[in-house]
Amino acid sequence: MTSPQIASLSWGRMKVQDCATAYKDCKVWPGGSRPWDWRETGTDHYPGVQAADVEEIVNKGVRTLVIGCGMSEALQVPSATLDYLRNKGVDVKVLQTQVAVREYNALAGGGARVGGVFHSTC
């Protein structure tokens, strides 16, 4: 199963290949995607992305996780989350969202078992 490409990105809007839904923030993994609703885990820009935000994707068997931390990089990624990912054997890349989407698409296009969480504003 391959990871879907991010088909388009603009401020506050993302489209995932073969998905009719547009997302503000999204999670993607081999074979799927869904909205990333920060209210599920109490996430906010600070302290940022929590292990609970990425656990679902890790459980899909990804080898690499790309985190898009916003267009202006306002979303933080605490060391506890990075430690969680490394302890699970997942390589993590934290990048500005436009750069993160390019990196994710390159990895997905190359057949990597890659997942991502992307914040499309601030």
Side-chain angles (χ1 to χ4, degrees):
M1 199 171 311
T2 60
S3 298
Q5 296 275 312
I6 305 297
S8 66
L9 168 67
S10 59
W11 184 272
R13 184 176 169 86
M14 299 182 73
K15 291 285 293 168
V16 175
Q17 172 188 5
D18 299 327
C19 180
T21 305
Y23 303 117
K24 176 182 174 241
D25 299 321
C26 74
K27 297 181 177 189
V28 292
W29 59 84
S33 67
R34 76 173 187 91
W36 179 18
D37 183 350
W38 293 12
R39 292 172 294 187
E40 292 174 358
T41 57
T43 294
D44 204 341
H45 290 99
Y46 182 83
V49 181
Q50 302 171 59
D53 292 308
V54 298
E55 181 179 27
E56 171 184 16
I57 300 167
V58 169
N59 290 339
K60 305 282 186 186
V62 300
R63 302 276 187 247
T64 303
L65 180 73
V66 180
I67 299 174
C69 56
M71 299 297 223
S72 301
E73 300 180 84
L75 179 61
Q76 304 296 304
V77 182
S79 59
T81 301
L82 299 174
D83 291 343
Y84 166 80
L85 290 164
R86 290 183 189 117
N87 288 337
K88 293 289 187 176
V90 176
D91 181 38
V92 61
K93 298 174 183 289
V94 178
L95 303 163
Q96 186 268 353
T97 296
Q98 292 164 310
V99 176
V101 165
R102 285 194 300 269
E103 178 69 15
Y104 168 85
N105 279 344
L107 290 165
R113 288 199 57 81
V114 61
V117 293
F118 300 100
H119 179 45
S120 71
T121 60
C122 45

